[in-house]
Amino acid sequence: MGIKLPEQTAPAPGSTSSGPGRALVAVYGVFALAATARAGFQIATKLGEAPLAYLLSGLSAVVYVVATVALAKGSPRARRVAWAAVLVELVGVLAVGALSLLDASDFPDETVWSGFGAGYGYVPLVLPFLGIAWLWHTRPRGPSTD
């Protein structure tokens, strides 16, 4: 006749928008505003000069807006959207960064992701890795198997 201890579970995961997540959401928000303003101006005034670059600027703006909102909300559905947005962002910055260096003629003007985000201090290159790390850190965890 032993004493049965209650099953231990891991602590509830942190919200994606609390603690260090607030800073992450703020940085995503700044990039959402910057990319939206830049892409809006480029598409409205110079689309014919570099359509690929400017449309990719528009895509980056959408990705940053979606990531910002999803990370700020933090619900289970929003977390899935955040994962998708951050992964699209990672693929985008790597692909556009490589293409802009390999075929500069397609990118006569900079985008947020061109040169791996060189024009923005490489923050666009680092940001998706931080987003992935934070989403992983705050992931829901099941019961402990200790």
Side-chain angles (χ1 to χ4, degrees):
M1 228 174 119
I3 299 174
K4 186 169 182 168
L5 297 174
E7 203 174 294
Q8 297 230 343
T9 58
S15 168
T16 54
S17 64
S18 65
R22 285 185 181 187
L24 185 65
V25 169
V27 172
Y28 266 101
V30 167
F31 271 81
L33 289 172
T36 300
R38 181 179 197 158
F41 175 78
Q42 290 171 327
I43 290 170
T45 62
K46 312 190 282 184
L47 184 61
E49 295 174 23
L52 178 63
Y54 299 149
L55 292 174
L56 286 170
S57 276
L59 173 65
S60 71
V62 170
V63 169
Y64 286 123
V65 168
V66 170
T68 302
V69 171
L71 286 167
K73 192 165 183 181
S75 68
R77 183 170 187 252
R79 289 179 63 81
R80 290 189 297 274
V81 171
W83 270 106
V86 171
L87 290 172
V88 167
E89 175 194 7
L90 177 61
V91 169
V93 74
L94 293 175
V96 172
L99 287 172
S100 66
L101 296 177
L102 294 172
D103 190 5
S105 64
D106 281 340
F107 297 89
D109 198 2
E110 286 191 3
T111 70
V112 176
W113 292 340
S114 61
F116 301 104
Y120 291 84
Y122 297 99
V123 173
L125 179 61
V126 175
L127 198 55
F129 291 104
L130 294 176
I132 289 167
W134 188 245
L135 285 165
W136 181 260
H137 176 73
T138 60
R139 74 193 181 282
R141 295 176 181 98
S144 176
T145 57
D146 292 345

Coordinates of all heavy atoms in Angstrom, one line a residue, residues 47-110:
L47 N 6.6 50.3 -59.7 CA 6.5 48.9 -59.9 C 7.1 48.5 -61.2 O 7.7 47.4 -61.3 CB 5.0 48.5 -59.9 CG 4.7 47.0 -60.1 CD1 5.4 46.2 -58.9 CD2 3.2 46.7 -60.1
G48 N 7.0 49.3 -62.3 CA 7.6 48.9 -63.6 C 9.1 48.8 -63.6 O 9.7 48.1 -64.4
E49 N 9.8 49.5 -62.7 CA 11.2 49.5 -62.6 C 11.8 48.1 -62.1 O 12.9 47.7 -62.6 CB 11.7 50.6 -61.7 CG 11.4 52.0 -62.2 CD 11.8 53.0 -61.2 OE1 12.7 52.8 -60.4 OE2 11.3 54.1 -61.3
A50 N 11.2 47.5 -61.2 CA 11.7 46.3 -60.6 C 10.5 45.5 -60.0 O 10.4 45.3 -58.8 CB 12.7 46.6 -59.5
P51 N 9.6 44.9 -60.9 CA 8.4 44.3 -60.4 C 8.7 43.1 -59.4 O 8.0 43.0 -58.4 CB 7.7 43.8 -61.6 CG 8.7 44.0 -62.8 CD 9.7 44.9 -62.3
L52 N 9.7 42.3 -59.7 CA 10.0 41.2 -58.9 C 10.4 41.6 -57.5 O 9.8 41.2 -56.4 CB 11.1 40.3 -59.5 CG 11.5 39.1 -58.6 CD1 10.3 38.1 -58.4 CD2 12.7 38.4 -59.2
A53 N 11.3 42.6 -57.4 CA 11.8 43.1 -56.1 C 10.6 43.7 -55.3 O 10.5 43.5 -54.1 CB 12.9 44.1 -56.3
Y54 N 9.8 44.5 -56.0 CA 8.8 45.2 -55.3 C 7.6 44.3 -54.8 O 7.1 44.5 -53.8 CB 8.3 46.4 -56.1 CG 9.4 47.4 -56.4 CD1 9.4 48.2 -57.5 CD2 10.5 47.6 -55.5 CE1 10.4 49.1 -57.8 CE2 11.5 48.5 -55.7 CZ 11.5 49.3 -56.9 OH 12.5 50.2 -57.1
L55 N 7.3 43.4 -55.6 CA 6.3 42.4 -55.2 C 6.8 41.5 -54.1 O 6.0 41.2 -53.2 CB 5.8 41.6 -56.4 CG 5.0 42.4 -57.5 CD1 4.7 41.5 -58.7 CD2 3.7 42.9 -56.9
L56 N 8.1 41.2 -54.1 CA 8.6 40.5 -53.0 C 8.7 41.3 -51.7 O 8.5 40.8 -50.6 CB 10.0 39.9 -53.3 CG 10.0 38.7 -54.3 CD1 11.4 38.4 -54.7 CD2 9.4 37.5 -53.6
S57 N 8.8 42.6 -51.9 CA 8.7 43.5 -50.7 C 7.3 43.5 -50.1 O 7.1 43.5 -48.9 CB 9.0 45.0 -51.1 OG 10.4 45.2 -51.1
G58 N 6.3 43.4 -51.0 CA 4.9 43.3 -50.6 C 4.7 42.0 -49.9 O 4.0 42.0 -48.8
L59 N 5.3 40.9 -50.4 CA 5.1 39.6 -49.7 C 5.7 39.7 -48.3 O 5.1 39.2 -47.3 CB 5.8 38.5 -50.5 CG 5.8 37.1 -49.9 CD1 4.4 36.6 -49.6 CD2 6.7 36.2 -50.7
S60 N 6.9 40.3 -48.2 CA 7.6 40.3 -46.9 C 6.7 41.1 -45.9 O 6.6 40.8 -44.8 CB 9.0 40.9 -47.0 OG 9.0 42.3 -47.3
A61 N 6.1 42.2 -46.4 CA 5.2 43.0 -45.6 C 4.1 42.2 -45.0 O 3.8 42.2 -43.8 CB 4.7 44.2 -46.4
V62 N 3.4 41.4 -45.9 CA 2.3 40.6 -45.5 C 2.8 39.5 -44.5 O 2.1 39.3 -43.4 CB 1.7 39.9 -46.7 CG1 0.7 38.8 -46.3 CG2 1.0 40.9 -47.6
V63 N 3.9 38.9 -44.7 CA 4.5 37.9 -43.8 C 4.7 38.6 -42.4 O 4.4 38.0 -41.4 CB 5.7 37.3 -44.4 CG1 6.5 36.4 -43.3 CG2 5.4 36.4 -45.6
Y64 N 5.3 39.7 -42.4 CA 5.6 40.4 -41.1 C 4.3 40.8 -40.4 O 4.2 40.6 -39.1 CB 6.5 41.6 -41.3 CG 7.9 41.3 -41.6 CD1 8.6 41.8 -42.7 CD2 8.7 40.5 -40.7 CE1 9.9 41.4 -43.0 CE2 10.0 40.2 -41.0 CZ 10.6 40.6 -42.1 OH 11.9 40.3 -42.4
V65 N 3.3 41.2 -41.1 CA 2.0 41.6 -40.4 C 1.4 40.3 -39.8 O 1.0 40.3 -38.7 CB 1.1 42.3 -41.4 CG1 -0.3 42.4 -40.9 CG2 1.6 43.7 -41.8
V66 N 1.3 39.3 -40.6 CA 0.7 38.0 -40.1 C 1.5 37.5 -38.9 O 0.9 37.1 -37.9 CB 0.7 37.0 -41.3 CG1 0.3 35.6 -40.8 CG2 -0.3 37.4 -42.4
A67 N 2.8 37.5 -39.0 CA 3.6 37.0 -37.9 C 3.4 37.8 -36.6 O 3.3 37.3 -35.5 CB 5.1 37.0 -38.3
T68 N 3.4 39.1 -36.8 CA 3.2 40.0 -35.7 C 1.8 39.7 -35.0 O 1.8 39.6 -33.7 CB 3.2 41.5 -36.1 OG1 4.4 41.8 -36.7 CG2 3.0 42.5 -34.9
V69 N 0.8 39.7 -35.8 CA -0.6 39.4 -35.2 C -0.6 38.1 -34.5 O -1.1 37.9 -33.4 CB -1.7 39.6 -36.3 CG1 -3.0 39.2 -35.8 CG2 -1.7 41.1 -36.7
A70 N -0.1 37.1 -35.2 CA -0.2 35.7 -34.7 C 0.6 35.5 -33.4 O 0.2 34.9 -32.4 CB 0.3 34.7 -35.7
L71 N 1.8 36.1 -33.4 CA 2.7 36.0 -32.2 C 2.0 36.8 -31.0 O 2.1 36.4 -29.9 CB 4.1 36.6 -32.4 CG 5.0 35.7 -33.2 CD1 6.2 36.4 -33.7 CD2 5.4 34.4 -32.4
A72 N 1.4 37.9 -31.3 CA 0.7 38.7 -30.3 C -0.5 38.0 -29.7 O -0.7 38.1 -28.5 CB 0.3 40.1 -30.8
K73 N -1.2 37.3 -30.6 CA -2.4 36.6 -30.1 C -2.1 35.4 -29.3 O -2.6 35.2 -28.2 CB -3.3 36.3 -31.3 CG -4.7 35.9 -30.9 CD -5.6 35.9 -32.1 CE -7.0 35.5 -31.6 NZ -7.9 35.5 -32.7
G74 N -1.3 34.5 -29.8 CA -0.8 33.4 -29.1 C -1.7 32.2 -28.8 O -1.3 31.3 -28.1
S75 N -2.9 32.2 -29.4 CA -3.8 31.1 -29.2 C -3.3 29.9 -29.9 O -2.3 30.0 -30.8 CB -5.2 31.5 -29.8 OG -5.1 31.6 -31.2
P76 N -3.8 28.7 -29.7 CA -3.3 27.5 -30.4 C -3.3 27.7 -32.0 O -2.4 27.4 -32.7 CB -4.2 26.4 -30.0 CG -4.6 26.8 -28.6 CD -4.8 28.3 -28.7
R77 N -4.4 28.3 -32.5 CA -4.5 28.5 -33.9 C -3.5 29.6 -34.4 O -2.9 29.4 -35.4 CB -5.9 28.9 -34.3 CG -6.1 29.1 -35.8 CD -7.6 29.3 -36.2 NE -7.7 29.3 -37.6 CZ -8.0 30.4 -38.3 NH1 -8.2 31.5 -37.7 NH2 -8.2 30.3 -39.6
A78 N -3.4 30.6 -33.6 CA -2.5 31.7 -33.9 C -1.0 31.2 -33.9 O -0.2 31.6 -34.7 CB -2.6 32.9 -33.0
R79 N -0.7 30.3 -33.0 CA 0.6 29.7 -32.9 C 0.9 28.9 -34.2 O 2.0 29.0 -34.8 CB 0.8 28.7 -31.7 CG 0.8 29.4 -30.4 CD 0.9 28.4 -29.3 NE 2.2 27.7 -29.4 CZ 3.4 28.2 -29.0 NH1 3.4 29.4 -28.4 NH2 4.5 27.5 -29.1
R80 N -0.1 28.2 -34.8 CA 0.1 27.5 -36.0 C 0.4 28.5 -37.2 O 1.3 28.3 -38.0 CB -1.0 26.6 -36.3 CG -1.1 25.4 -35.4 CD -2.2 24.4 -35.9 NE -3.5 24.9 -35.9 CZ -4.4 24.9 -34.8 NH1 -4.0 24.4 -33.7 NH2 -5.6 25.4 -35.0
V81 N -0.4 29.6 -37.2 CA -0.2 30.6 -38.2 C 1.2 31.3 -38.0 O 1.9 31.5 -39.0 CB -1.3 31.7 -38.1 CG1 -1.1 32.9 -39.0 CG2 -2.7 31.0 -38.4
A82 N 1.6 31.5 -36.8 CA 2.9 32.1 -36.5 C 4.0 31.2 -37.0 O 5.0 31.7 -37.6 CB 3.1 32.4 -35.0
W83 N 3.9 29.9 -36.7 CA 4.9 28.9 -37.2 C 5.0 29.0 -38.8 O 6.1 29.1 -39.3 CB 4.5 27.5 -36.8 CG 5.1 27.1 -35.5 CD1 4.4 26.9 -34.4 CD2 6.5 26.7 -35.3 NE1 5.3 26.5 -33.4 CE2 6.5 26.4 -33.9 CE3 7.6 26.7 -36.0 CZ2 7.7 26.0 -33.3 CZ3 8.8 26.4 -35.4 CH2 8.9 26.0 -34.1
A84 N 3.8 29.0 -39.4 CA 3.8 29.1 -40.9 C 4.5 30.4 -41.4 O 5.3 30.4 -42.3 CB 2.4 29.0 -41.4
A85 N 4.1 31.5 -40.8 CA 4.6 32.8 -41.2 C 6.1 32.9 -41.0 O 6.9 33.4 -41.8 CB 3.9 34.0 -40.4
V86 N 6.6 32.5 -39.8 CA 8.0 32.5 -39.5 C 8.8 31.6 -40.5 O 9.9 32.0 -40.9 CB 8.3 32.2 -38.0 CG1 9.7 32.1 -37.7 CG2 7.7 33.3 -37.2
L87 N 8.2 30.5 -40.8 CA 9.0 29.6 -41.7 C 9.0 30.1 -43.1 O 10.0 30.0 -43.8 CB 8.3 28.2 -41.7 CG 8.6 27.4 -40.4 CD1 7.8 26.1 -40.3 CD2 10.1 27.1 -40.2
V88 N 7.9 30.8 -43.6 CA 7.8 31.4 -44.9 C 8.8 32.6 -44.9 O 9.6 32.8 -45.8 CB 6.4 31.9 -45.2 CG1 6.4 32.9 -46.4 CG2 5.5 30.8 -45.5
E89 N 8.9 33.3 -43.8 CA 9.9 34.4 -43.6 C 11.3 33.8 -43.8 O 12.1 34.4 -44.5 CB 9.7 35.1 -42.3 CG 10.7 36.1 -42.0 CD 10.7 36.5 -40.5 OE1 10.0 35.9 -39.7 OE2 11.5 37.5 -40.2
L90 N 11.6 32.7 -43.1 CA 13.0 32.2 -43.2 C 13.3 31.8 -44.6 O 14.4 32.1 -45.1 CB 13.1 31.0 -42.2 CG 14.4 30.2 -42.3 CD1 15.5 31.2 -41.9 CD2 14.3 29.0 -41.3
V91 N 12.4 31.0 -45.3 CA 12.6 30.6 -46.6 C 12.8 31.9 -47.5 O 13.6 31.9 -48.4 CB 11.5 29.7 -47.1 CG1 11.6 29.5 -48.6 CG2 11.5 28.4 -46.4
G92 N 11.9 32.8 -47.3 CA 11.9 34.1 -48.1 C 13.2 34.8 -48.0 O 13.9 35.2 -49.0
V93 N 13.7 35.0 -46.8 CA 14.9 35.8 -46.6 C 16.1 35.0 -47.2 O 17.1 35.6 -47.7 CB 15.1 36.2 -45.1 CG1 15.5 35.1 -44.2 CG2 16.1 37.4 -45.1
L94 N 16.1 33.7 -47.0 CA 17.2 32.9 -47.6 C 17.2 32.9 -49.1 O 18.2 33.1 -49.8 CB 17.2 31.5 -47.0 CG 17.5 31.4 -45.5 CD1 17.4 30.0 -45.0 CD2 18.9 31.9 -45.2
A95 N 16.0 32.7 -49.7 CA 15.9 32.6 -51.1 C 16.1 34.0 -51.8 O 16.9 34.1 -52.7 CB 14.5 32.1 -51.5
V96 N 15.5 35.0 -51.3 CA 15.6 36.3 -51.9 C 17.1 36.8 -51.6 O 17.7 37.4 -52.5 CB 14.6 37.3 -51.3 CG1 14.9 38.7 -51.7 CG2 13.2 36.9 -51.7
G97 N 17.6 36.6 -50.4 CA 19.0 37.0 -50.2 C 19.9 36.4 -51.1 O 20.8 37.0 -51.7
A98 N 19.8 35.0 -51.4 CA 20.7 34.4 -52.4 C 20.4 34.9 -53.8 O 21.4 35.2 -54.5 CB 20.5 32.9 -52.3
L99 N 19.2 35.0 -54.2 CA 18.9 35.4 -55.6 C 19.4 36.8 -55.8 O 19.8 37.2 -56.9 CB 17.4 35.3 -55.8 CG 16.8 33.9 -56.0 CD1 15.3 34.0 -56.1 CD2 17.4 33.3 -57.3
S100 N 19.2 37.7 -54.8 CA 19.7 39.1 -55.0 C 21.2 39.2 -55.1 O 21.7 40.2 -55.7 CB 19.2 40.0 -53.8 OG 19.8 39.6 -52.6
L101 N 21.9 38.3 -54.6 CA 23.3 38.3 -54.8 C 23.8 37.6 -56.1 O 24.7 38.0 -56.7 CB 24.0 37.6 -53.6 CG 23.8 38.3 -52.2 CD1 24.5 37.5 -51.1 CD2 24.4 39.7 -52.3
L102 N 23.0 36.5 -56.4 CA 23.4 35.8 -57.6 C 22.9 36.5 -58.9 O 23.6 36.4 -59.9 CB 22.8 34.4 -57.6 CG 23.3 33.5 -56.5 CD1 22.5 32.2 -56.4 CD2 24.8 33.1 -56.7
D103 N 21.8 37.1 -58.9 CA 21.2 37.8 -60.1 C 20.8 39.2 -59.7 O 19.6 39.4 -59.6 CB 20.1 37.0 -60.7 CG 19.7 37.4 -62.0 OD1 20.3 38.4 -62.6 OD2 18.7 36.9 -62.6
A104 N 21.7 40.0 -59.5 CA 21.4 41.4 -59.1 C 20.5 42.2 -60.1 O 19.9 43.1 -59.7 CB 22.7 42.2 -58.8
S105 N 20.5 41.8 -61.3 CA 19.7 42.5 -62.3 C 18.2 42.4 -62.0 O 17.4 43.3 -62.4 CB 20.0 42.0 -63.7 OG 19.6 40.6 -63.8
D106 N 17.8 41.3 -61.3 CA 16.4 41.2 -61.0 C 16.0 42.0 -59.7 O 14.9 42.2 -59.4 CB 16.0 39.7 -60.7 CG 15.8 38.9 -61.9 OD1 15.5 39.5 -63.0 OD2 15.9 37.7 -61.8
F107 N 17.1 42.5 -59.1 CA 16.9 43.3 -57.8 C 17.6 44.6 -57.9 O 18.6 44.9 -57.2 CB 17.4 42.5 -56.6 CG 16.6 41.3 -56.4 CD1 17.0 40.1 -57.0 CD2 15.5 41.3 -55.6 CE1 16.2 38.9 -56.8 CE2 14.7 40.1 -55.4 CZ 15.1 38.9 -56.0
P108 N 17.2 45.5 -58.9 CA 17.9 46.8 -59.0 C 17.7 47.7 -57.8 O 18.4 48.7 -57.7 CB 17.3 47.4 -60.3 CG 16.0 46.7 -60.4 CD 16.1 45.4 -59.8
D109 N 16.7 47.4 -57.0 CA 16.5 48.2 -55.8 C 16.4 47.2 -54.6 O 16.0 46.1 -54.8 CB 15.2 49.0 -55.9 CG 15.1 50.2 -54.9 OD1 16.1 50.4 -54.2 OD2 14.1 50.9 -54.9
E110 N 16.7 47.7 -53.5 CA 16.7 46.8 -52.3 C 15.3 46.5 -51.8 O 14.4 47.3 -52.0 CB 17.5 47.4 -51.1 CG 19.0 47.4 -51.3 CD 19.7 47.8 -50.1 OE1 19.1 48.0 -49.0 OE2 20.9 47.8 -50.1

